[in-house]
Amino acid sequence: MPSIRNLLSSLLLIVIGIVAMVVLATVVFFVTIFVVSTGSSLAGYDPSADFVVLSSALIVVAVILTGGFTPRLSGSEPAEDEPFDDRTYR
């Protein structure tokens, strides 16, 4: 029975993680819409709401996708005698 309990607890943690990610992505999306809208009005542009949402969606997707690759793209190269420590896939 411990294996079923471990499986259910892991499933619950996965669901909680997914819900947290969706909530955070939604908050970031709304903040990005505000930033894009305010920035375009400060620059003297008056884009339609479609373009504001499209640009905000592209920015949020790019931020979410590149967030997982940050350790790999940090620019620090390991020394010759050190093995490469890729923390992205742990």
Side-chain angles (χ1 to χ4, degrees), residues 7-23:
L7 181 68
L8 290 177
S9 66
S10 297
L11 182 64
L12 180 65
L13 288 175
I14 289 171
V15 169
I16 290 171
I18 289 171
V19 168
M21 184 66 183
V22 167
V23 168

mmCIF file of all heavy atoms in Angstrom, residues 7-23:
data_model
loop_
_atom_site.group_PDB
_atom_site.id
_atom_site.type_symbol
_atom_site.label_atom_id
_atom_site.label_comp_id
_atom_site.label_asym_id
_atom_site.label_seq_id
_atom_site.Cartn_x
_atom_site.Cartn_y
_atom_site.Cartn_z
ATOM 1 N N LEU A 7 2.178 7.181 -4.883
ATOM 2 C CA LEU A 7 1.676 7.565 -6.198
ATOM 3 C C LEU A 7 0.635 8.665 -6.090
ATOM 4 O O LEU A 7 0.670 9.655 -6.829
ATOM 5 C CB LEU A 7 1.089 6.344 -6.916
ATOM 6 C CG LEU A 7 0.535 6.580 -8.312
ATOM 7 C CD1 LEU A 7 1.657 6.914 -9.264
ATOM 8 C CD2 LEU A 7 -0.235 5.373 -8.772
ATOM 9 N N LEU A 8 -0.298 8.519 -5.154
ATOM 10 C CA LEU A 8 -1.345 9.536 -4.993
ATOM 11 C C LEU A 8 -0.778 10.855 -4.469
ATOM 12 O O LEU A 8 -1.209 11.927 -4.889
ATOM 13 C CB LEU A 8 -2.437 9.014 -4.068
ATOM 14 C CG LEU A 8 -3.308 7.901 -4.643
ATOM 15 C CD1 LEU A 8 -4.300 7.411 -3.597
ATOM 16 C CD2 LEU A 8 -4.023 8.347 -5.896
ATOM 17 N N SER A 9 0.198 10.779 -3.576
ATOM 18 C CA SER A 9 0.798 12.025 -3.083
ATOM 19 C C SER A 9 1.596 12.716 -4.194
ATOM 20 O O SER A 9 1.573 13.943 -4.303
ATOM 21 C CB SER A 9 1.678 11.758 -1.874
ATOM 22 O OG SER A 9 2.793 10.972 -2.229
ATOM 23 N N SER A 10 2.260 11.939 -5.026
ATOM 24 C CA SER A 10 2.975 12.529 -6.161
ATOM 25 C C SER A 10 2.005 13.158 -7.146
ATOM 26 O O SER A 10 2.262 14.249 -7.675
ATOM 27 C CB SER A 10 3.813 11.467 -6.868
ATOM 28 O OG SER A 10 4.798 10.957 -6.012
ATOM 29 N N LEU A 11 0.899 12.486 -7.394
ATOM 30 C CA LEU A 11 -0.117 13.034 -8.302
ATOM 31 C C LEU A 11 -0.687 14.328 -7.740
ATOM 32 O O LEU A 11 -0.890 15.298 -8.487
ATOM 33 C CB LEU A 11 -1.217 12.004 -8.517
ATOM 34 C CG LEU A 11 -2.322 12.395 -9.482
ATOM 35 C CD1 LEU A 11 -1.770 12.568 -10.885
ATOM 36 C CD2 LEU A 11 -3.417 11.333 -9.473
ATOM 37 N N LEU A 12 -0.930 14.381 -6.436
ATOM 38 C CA LEU A 12 -1.442 15.594 -5.814
ATOM 39 C C LEU A 12 -0.435 16.735 -5.925
ATOM 40 O O LEU A 12 -0.805 17.877 -6.218
ATOM 41 C CB LEU A 12 -1.775 15.329 -4.349
ATOM 42 C CG LEU A 12 -2.328 16.515 -3.568
ATOM 43 C CD1 LEU A 12 -3.681 16.937 -4.119
ATOM 44 C CD2 LEU A 12 -2.416 16.177 -2.103
ATOM 45 N N LEU A 13 0.842 16.438 -5.730
ATOM 46 C CA LEU A 13 1.869 17.466 -5.859
ATOM 47 C C LEU A 13 1.978 17.977 -7.293
ATOM 48 O O LEU A 13 2.191 19.172 -7.518
ATOM 49 C CB LEU A 13 3.218 16.932 -5.383
ATOM 50 C CG LEU A 13 3.341 16.737 -3.878
ATOM 51 C CD1 LEU A 13 4.672 16.081 -3.543
ATOM 52 C CD2 LEU A 13 3.192 18.054 -3.159
ATOM 53 N N ILE A 14 1.816 17.099 -8.261
ATOM 54 C CA ILE A 14 1.846 17.512 -9.662
ATOM 55 C C ILE A 14 0.682 18.442 -9.964
ATOM 56 O O ILE A 14 0.842 19.481 -10.624
ATOM 57 C CB ILE A 14 1.850 16.284 -10.589
ATOM 58 C CG1 ILE A 14 3.190 15.565 -10.508
ATOM 59 C CG2 ILE A 14 1.546 16.684 -12.025
ATOM 60 C CD1 ILE A 14 3.205 14.235 -11.212
ATOM 61 N N VAL A 15 -0.504 18.093 -9.481
ATOM 62 C CA VAL A 15 -1.691 18.930 -9.714
ATOM 63 C C VAL A 15 -1.513 20.293 -9.045
ATOM 64 O O VAL A 15 -1.830 21.332 -9.638
ATOM 65 C CB VAL A 15 -2.960 18.213 -9.209
ATOM 66 C CG1 VAL A 15 -4.153 19.148 -9.178
ATOM 67 C CG2 VAL A 15 -3.262 17.003 -10.068
ATOM 68 N N ILE A 16 -0.983 20.318 -7.821
ATOM 69 C CA ILE A 16 -0.744 21.589 -7.141
ATOM 70 C C ILE A 16 0.279 22.428 -7.905
ATOM 71 O O ILE A 16 0.119 23.648 -8.053
ATOM 72 C CB ILE A 16 -0.287 21.335 -5.692
ATOM 73 C CG1 ILE A 16 -1.442 20.785 -4.872
ATOM 74 C CG2 ILE A 16 0.264 22.602 -5.049
ATOM 75 C CD1 ILE A 16 -1.044 20.312 -3.489
ATOM 76 N N GLY A 17 1.315 21.790 -8.423
ATOM 77 C CA GLY A 17 2.312 22.504 -9.215
ATOM 78 C C GLY A 17 1.730 23.089 -10.487
ATOM 79 O O GLY A 17 2.046 24.228 -10.873
ATOM 80 N N ILE A 18 0.874 22.327 -11.153
ATOM 81 C CA ILE A 18 0.247 22.823 -12.385
ATOM 82 C C ILE A 18 -0.667 24.005 -12.086
ATOM 83 O O ILE A 18 -0.653 25.015 -12.805
ATOM 84 C CB ILE A 18 -0.522 21.684 -13.090
ATOM 85 C CG1 ILE A 18 0.465 20.682 -13.684
ATOM 86 C CG2 ILE A 18 -1.438 22.224 -14.174
ATOM 87 C CD1 ILE A 18 -0.191 19.420 -14.211
ATOM 88 N N VAL A 19 -1.448 23.898 -11.015
ATOM 89 C CA VAL A 19 -2.344 24.996 -10.649
ATOM 90 C C VAL A 19 -1.537 26.248 -10.291
ATOM 91 O O VAL A 19 -1.870 27.364 -10.705
ATOM 92 C CB VAL A 19 -3.273 24.568 -9.490
ATOM 93 C CG1 VAL A 19 -4.005 25.750 -8.894
ATOM 94 C CG2 VAL A 19 -4.263 23.528 -9.961
ATOM 95 N N ALA A 20 -0.465 26.078 -9.554
ATOM 96 C CA ALA A 20 0.374 27.221 -9.191
ATOM 97 C C ALA A 20 0.996 27.855 -10.428
ATOM 98 O O ALA A 20 1.057 29.090 -10.540
ATOM 99 C CB ALA A 20 1.466 26.782 -8.215
ATOM 100 N N MET A 21 1.432 27.033 -11.375
ATOM 101 C CA MET A 21 2.023 27.570 -12.604
ATOM 102 C C MET A 21 0.998 28.344 -13.428
ATOM 103 O O MET A 21 1.310 29.404 -13.979
ATOM 104 C CB MET A 21 2.610 26.417 -13.426
ATOM 105 C CG MET A 21 3.320 26.847 -14.656
ATOM 106 S SD MET A 21 4.787 27.788 -14.239
ATOM 107 C CE MET A 21 5.335 28.216 -15.863
ATOM 108 N N VAL A 22 -0.222 27.835 -13.494
ATOM 109 C CA VAL A 22 -1.271 28.527 -14.256
ATOM 110 C C VAL A 22 -1.607 29.859 -13.589
ATOM 111 O O VAL A 22 -1.772 30.879 -14.276
ATOM 112 C CB VAL A 22 -2.516 27.626 -14.391
ATOM 113 C CG1 VAL A 22 -3.712 28.403 -14.880
ATOM 114 C CG2 VAL A 22 -2.225 26.464 -15.326
ATOM 115 N N VAL A 23 -1.701 29.872 -12.267
ATOM 116 C CA VAL A 23 -2.007 31.118 -11.557
ATOM 117 C C VAL A 23 -0.893 32.142 -11.755
ATOM 118 O O VAL A 23 -1.156 33.318 -12.057
ATOM 119 C CB VAL A 23 -2.244 30.840 -10.053
ATOM 120 C CG1 VAL A 23 -2.273 32.115 -9.245
ATOM 121 C CG2 VAL A 23 -3.537 30.065 -9.864
#
